[in-house]
């Protein structure tokens, strides 16, 4: 019976240990950074963790020593005002040590935060990230108005190069957070914040909105792709081009469905009459890894489900259900969208 009774405890302990170990180096683990900004914050985090852990251990050691050495009863001890050594311990442990530790951490924190550009920036931003309910819209602005293009819920940056990002919001307060590359920075109505993002090596870094912004806050995701300079140049050239014309009969039928449905009133496909500004730019939607504000993998099943029943997947989103299409029309529309590489 004892062995049976202890199995849930052992299983719980194993699960907790696996969860703890799994956090090391996980996709959003800020203590294992991949960029200079996140590295400075990780140093601050590790310093605080070690300092406060050391203080905690010392306090417990002192408590054990006091408990082990206690003698007599309360009635036998002298009053505190007749035992100056007791007052000394109180002053050291209750005032001097906490003030010293907290003061040092406060100065270190101010020094770390002072290394981050937050407010108005002297140089123009390379990318403007706009927060909306509930998705991020990245606008590449570093080549002027003629070279601008939009990429929703995904950022591409060149490895090893600092990229200045302007953070703004279209509606409520959001928070931009890519733990392995940078700390949390709020997007506040009427205020432009700036950050400098840099990745040390190629990879995909997960991010999200870190400030509650409404019903679908948990489904407001972001991915940052750190590309080699050659890959980044190819990606950028492809993004600046307009949408490729449909080449297959199914894609041409899907194009006609898109233009006739409400899609064209809300979305932009550069090089076509669709110039809507309500939803994400779909010019190269087929090349993106996720849809629906970064919450769904961009595959055929999810794309069809998102078109037909967006409100069942993300209630409250501004994407309406488009449930009047026939099965053939839906397949053609999906084929066209997936062809937009």
């Amino acid at each position: 019976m004892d062995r049976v009774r202890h199995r849930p405890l052992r299983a719980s302990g194993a699960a907790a240990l696996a969860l703890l170990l799994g956090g090391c180096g996980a996709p959003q683990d800020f203590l294992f950074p991949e960029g200079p900004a996140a590295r400075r914050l990780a140093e601050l985090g590790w310093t605080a963790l070690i300092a406060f852990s050391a203080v905690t251990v010392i306090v417990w050691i002192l408590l054990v020593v006091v408990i082990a050495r206690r003698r007599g009863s309360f009635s036998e001890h002298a009053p505190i005002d007749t035992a100056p050594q007791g007052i000394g311990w109180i002053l050291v442990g209750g005032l001097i040590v906490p003030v010293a530790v907290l003061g040092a951490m406060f100065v270190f924190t101010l020094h770390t935060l002072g290394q981050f550009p937050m407010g108005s920036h002297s140089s123009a931003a390379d990318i403007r990230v706009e927060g909306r309910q509930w998705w991020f819209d990245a606008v590449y602005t570093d080549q002027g108005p003629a070279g601008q293009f939009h990429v929703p819920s995904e950022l591409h940056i060149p490895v090893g190069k600092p990229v200045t990002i302007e953070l703004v919001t279209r509606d409520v307060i959001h928070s931009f957070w890519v733990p392995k590359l940078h700390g949390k920075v709020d997007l506040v109505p009427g205020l432009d914040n700036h950050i400098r993002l840099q990745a040390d090596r190629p990879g995909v870094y997960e991010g999200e909105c870190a400030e509650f912004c409404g019903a679908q806050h948990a489904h407001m995701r972001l991915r940052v792709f750190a590309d080699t300079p050659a890959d980044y140049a190819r990606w950028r050239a492809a993004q600046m081009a307009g949408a490729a014309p449909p080449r297959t009969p199914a894609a041409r039928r899907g194009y006609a469905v898109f233009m006739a449905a409400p899609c064209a009133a809300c979305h932009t496909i550069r090089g076509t009459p669709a110039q809507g500004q309500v939803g994400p730019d779909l010019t190269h939607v087929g090349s993106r890894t996720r849809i629906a504000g970064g919450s769904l993998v961009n595959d055929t099943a999810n794309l069809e489900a998102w078109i037909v029943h967006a409100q069942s997947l993300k209630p409250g989103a501004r994407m309406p259900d488009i449930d009047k299409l026939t099965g053939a029309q839906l397949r053609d529309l999906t084929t066209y969208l997936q062809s937009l590489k």
Side-chain angles (χ1 to χ4, degrees):
M1 288 296 294
D2 289 339
R3 294 181 62 186
V4 173
R5 186 162 48 244
H6 290 308
R7 282 177 186 169
L9 296 177
R10 288 197 297 269
S12 300
L17 179 61
L19 182 62
L20 178 63
L21 295 178
C24 298
Q28 290 183 293
D29 189 348
F30 78 95
L31 291 177
F32 295 86
E34 297 288 352
R39 188 173 300 110
R40 288 193 289 270
L41 293 173
E43 290 170 356
L44 174 62
W46 279 114
T47 302
L49 178 63
I50 293 171
F52 295 141
S53 297
V55 170
T56 301
V57 170
I58 292 172
V59 169
W60 277 104
I61 291 175
L62 292 175
L63 285 174
V64 171
V65 170
V66 170
I67 292 173
R69 294 181 58 188
R70 66 179 183 177
R71 296 291 185 272
S73 62
F74 285 113
S75 61
E76 298 173 359
H77 286 288
I80 187 65
D81 56 358
T82 63
Q85 68 275 17
I87 297 178
W89 275 104
I90 292 175
L91 289 176
V92 172
L95 181 63
I96 296 176
V97 172
V99 169
V101 173
L102 294 176
M105 288 307 307
F106 179 70
V107 172
F108 188 23
T109 300
L110 290 181
H111 173 71
T112 301
L113 295 179
Q115 301 178 50
F116 294 90
M118 296 292 292
S120 58
H121 203 265
S122 57
S123 60
D126 300 308
I127 306 171
R128 184 174 71 253
V129 173
E130 300 177 352
R132 308 192 189 187
Q133 291 179 309
W134 289 273
W135 54 288
F136 290 104
D137 188 22
V139 188
Y140 283 71
T141 60
D142 56 329
Q143 294 192 7
Q148 286 189 11
F149 58 89
H150 294 246
V151 185
S153 303
E154 292 185 358
L155 284 177
H156 283 252
I157 61 175
V159 170
K161 179 182 177 181
V163 177
T164 301
I165 299 178
E166 180 185 9
L167 300 173
V168 298
T169 177
R170 287 285 190 96
D171 34 57
V172 300
I173 295 176
H174 301 281
S175 188
F176 181 93
W177 189 32
V178 185
K180 281 186 167 293
L181 298 181
H182 207 285
K184 302 176 185 177
V185 181
D186 284 349
L187 288 68
V188 181
L191 177 66
D192 291 357
N193 280 333
H194 291 77
I195 65 171
R196 188 173 292 116
L197 211 62
Q198 181 177 335
D200 292 335
R201 57 183 179 178
V204 181
Y205 302 98
E206 300 289 340
E208 61 186 76
C209 176
E211 180 79 20
F212 180 73
C213 55
Q216 290 300 324
H217 159 70
H219 292 155
M220 187 171 173
R221 310 284 296 182
L222 176 73
R223 304 187 100 186
V224 176
F225 294 80
D227 302 327
T228 63
D231 288 341
Y232 177 77
R234 283 191 292 269
W235 173 84
R236 186 183 181 90
Q239 293 296 313
M240 291 184 64
R247 293 184 172 86
T248 66
R252 286 191 286 271
R253 292 193 299 269
Y255 171 83
V257 172
F258 184 92
M259 294 302 165
C263 313
C266 294
H267 297 280
T268 290
I269 297 181
R270 284 182 282 118
T272 76
Q275 297 295 317
Q277 301 295 317
V278 177
D281 188 306
L282 300 181
T283 304
H284 298 290
V285 64
S287 67
R288 297 169 195 154
T289 60
R290 291 181 181 173
I291 58 173
S295 62
L296 297 175
V297 175
N298 188 7
D299 58 25
T300 301
N302 284 335
L303 184 56
E304 290 184 351
W306 180 248
I307 293 170
V308 177
H309 289 300
Q311 291 302 310
S312 67
L313 299 173
K314 204 167 182 178
R318 300 189 69 179
M319 172 77 174
D321 291 342
I322 304 177
D323 52 6
K324 304 302 182 183
L325 302 177
T326 66
Q329 288 175 323
L330 180 61
R331 286 193 297 272
D332 292 339
L333 176 57
T334 303
T335 300
Y336 171 63
L337 293 176
Q338 290 177 327
S339 73
L340 299 175
K341 301 293 188 178

